[in-house]
Amino acid sequence: MKFTIDRKYFYTQLSIVSRAISSFSPLPALSGICIEVDQDHIVLTGSDSNISIRTYIYKGEENQLQIESTGSIVLESRYLLEIIHKIESTMVELEVMDFELVRITSTNGKFNLNGMEAGQYPNIDFDQPTHSIQLSRDTLSQIVSQTAFACSENDQRPVLSGVNFAAKDGYLYCSGTDSYRLARKTIALQAESNFNITIPSKSLQEVVRSLSEEIDAVQLYIDSKKAQFVFGKTIFQTRLLDGTFPSVEKIIPTSSVASMVVDAHELASVIDRTNFIRNDKVHLVKLECSPEIVRIKTNSTEIGSSDEVLTDCIYKGDHLTLTCNGSYILDAIRALNGSKVDLEFSGDMRPIRILNPEDDSIVIVIVPVRSYD
């Protein structure tokens, strides 16, 4: 195996497949990148057995790829990336000197890197599922940024650590919840589709990080066990989460007793200023709402208290006093990404809908907490 390639291009492709590699690999070979060189292209594969990424490099002007001989090798991901990243050379050459030793040559010098035979790398099934939908890069990025933050971070209910993708009646409903809050994004589909799967939020975030500006659309292929995101010459494959995702329709309130439209920056600033005032490491804020005035208060016997009035705010409906997790409200404001925020209250200790008045495709629901002060 011997080839020469543009160093920056090669590093970019290595970085993509390395996203699938864990520092706690179940098999020694999975800590490495499998490099397979054919007559006219190179295949790079990385995996941790849950996420697998494969990308193809074909000869072209951008990569200046020249293949002298074919072959394959597995090289430790972190060492290979560090060498390719720090070499000060436009081009780089990789050559297998014997069965497990690779020489990396640049303009200024040479590195010898021990690897292992490609036969020790697990056989990963990259067969493409038959069912698919297409999403634009921006749409997929919005789905992830507006739902993944609400997913659970503990392992007690694994299905809650992912985003549920449910397609029906011409729409794709993407939902993330940790049982205390919910974020749902609704997308109109170009073609009728019907499925219900849950994809790990970590996998989705890595997919989005792998998308370059040149990518316009992503093809999503799914079956009962896995999901494949195909973009450019890259296949990003992830296992699905087992278990039944909660019926979120029952969580979203359908009526309200009061509503508040407030400047998003002001609300975020008021809450963020009190982030250090916590009870048992939880940032609780109390909303005292009436048509005349809306106050946001915090209190901690150990740290102190605050009391601020919202100025750019319109409140309509019943007088309400609610205590919420301030971090949840901040996360919601960031995800909605609008100049205004609409809070719809369904009653005392009832879920609150948080909306962007200019974008009805996203709804966020948070559950108030009981306060004893």
Side-chain angles (χ1 to χ4, degrees):
M1 182 191 93
K2 184 177 181 181
F3 66 90
T4 305
I5 192 170
D6 180 86
R7 183 189 64 83
K8 289 184 178 179
Y9 183 94
F10 190 47
Y11 179 75
T12 299
Q13 304 310 307
L14 290 173
S15 298
I16 291 175
V17 298
S18 71
R19 296 186 187 280
I21 299 173
S22 170
S23 55
F24 306 101
S25 299
L27 296 172
L30 290 182
S31 66
I33 294 174
C34 183
I35 304 174
E36 300 171 89
V37 181
D38 209 335
Q39 295 289 345
D40 63 345
H41 69 276
I42 297 173
V43 182
L44 304 177
T45 305
S47 177
D48 67 355
S49 75
N50 291 321
I51 297 174
S52 300
I53 303 175
R54 174 168 287 176
T55 191
Y56 295 81
I57 302 174
Y58 289 88
K59 292 181 179 180
E61 293 183 4
E62 185 180 1
N63 56 49
Q64 302 183 61
L65 174 62
Q66 296 294 327
I67 296 174
E68 292 191 32
S69 61
T70 62
S72 56
I73 193 75
V74 177
L75 295 175
E76 183 73 26
S77 170
R78 53 179 175 165
Y79 302 147
L80 178 59
L81 279 165
E82 187 165 355
I83 291 172
I84 301 300
H85 178 59
K86 292 183 178 180
I87 285 177
E88 294 182 356
S89 176
T90 302
M91 304 293 292
V92 64
E93 177 186 276
L94 273 74
E95 180 181 8
V96 175
M97 303 306 296
D98 57 31
F99 293 108
E100 297 182 357
L101 179 67
V102 171
R103 176 165 293 171
I104 302 172
T105 306
S106 69
T107 304
N108 302 322
K110 299 176 181 179
F111 292 85
N112 290 331
L113 186 61
N114 293 320
M116 63 179 68
E117 294 184 20
Q120 299 182 47
Y121 201 80
N123 183 23
I124 300 170
D125 178 16
F126 277 98
D127 288 346
Q128 196 171 82
T130 55
H131 196 84
S132 71
I133 61 171
Q134 182 172 292
L135 300 170
S136 71
R137 183 196 65 187
D138 290 343
T139 297
L140 180 59
S141 298
Q142 288 174 4
I143 289 172
V144 176
S145 66
Q146 294 181 331
T147 61
F149 73 92
C151 295
S152 175
E153 295 182 355
N154 63 54
D155 297 326
Q156 293 182 347
R157 294 182 64 186
V159 74
L160 297 186
S161 66
V163 177
N164 181 254
F165 284 62
K168 61 180 180 180
D169 303 327
Y171 288 92
L172 177 65
Y173 300 93
C174 305
S175 309
T177 182
D178 60 3
S179 75
Y180 300 103
R181 55 179 170 174
L182 162 71
R184 166 174 267 204
K185 178 79 170 179
T186 302
I187 304 295
L189 295 175
Q190 296 179 348
E192 187 67 28
S193 196
N194 197 303
F195 59 83
N196 192 314
I197 60 171
T198 303
I199 303 174
S201 60
K202 176 190 174 184
S203 300
L204 291 169
Q205 289 164 349
E206 293 297 345
V207 170
V208 171
R209 292 190 187 104
S210 302
L211 297 176
S212 65
E213 294 183 358
E214 291 76 25
I215 301 298
D216 295 322
V218 177
Q219 199 74 22
L220 170 59
Y221 295 88
I222 60 168
D223 59 23
S224 61
K225 295 295 183 181
K226 66 184 180 184
Q228 281 187 0
F229 296 85
V230 179
F231 47 93
K233 298 294 189 294
T234 298
I235 302 171
F236 189 112
Q237 180 170 289
T238 176
R239 68 174 180 85
L240 302 179
L241 293 172
D242 295 326
T244 303
F245 199 82
S247 179
V248 297
E249 288 84 359
K250 299 177 181 179
I251 303 173
I252 302 174
T254 56
S255 61
S256 61
V257 299
S259 66
M260 177 173 71
V261 178
V262 59
D263 180 81
H265 177 73
E266 181 185 8
L267 180 59
S269 297
V270 169
I271 295 175
D272 188 51
R273 275 195 290 273
T274 64
N275 192 38
F276 67 96
I277 304 176
R278 294 181 169 235
N279 293 276
D280 296 326
K281 299 182 180 180
V282 180
H283 181 207
L284 297 178
V285 297
K286 177 184 284 188
L287 282 69
E288 295 182 353
C289 308
S290 70
E292 294 78 30
I293 192 170
V294 174
R295 312 183 80 95
I296 295 183
K297 297 181 178 181
T298 59
N299 182 61
S300 168
T301 54
E302 295 181 357
I303 301 171
S305 63
S306 70
D307 183 351
E308 290 197 58
V309 175
L310 294 178
T311 58
D312 191 353
C313 172
I314 300 175
Y315 182 87
K316 298 178 181 178
D318 299 349
H319 291 235
L320 286 175
T321 299
L322 295 167
T323 300
C324 304
N325 187 317
S327 299
Y328 288 179
I329 298 178
L330 285 176
D331 287 343
I333 294 171
R334 295 188 189 104
L336 291 172
N337 194 29
S339 59
K340 297 286 185 180
V341 178
D342 182 7
L343 285 78
E344 303 282 338
F345 303 95
S346 55
D348 291 321
M349 292 304 299
R350 300 287 299 166
I352 304 169
R353 285 197 309 163
I354 308 178
L355 312 165
N356 179 347
E358 298 177 349
D359 182 4
D360 61 3
S361 70
I362 175 72
V363 58
I364 297 171
V365 178
I366 64 173
V367 179
V369 298
R370 195 171 298 280
S371 177
Y372 297 99
D373 54 20

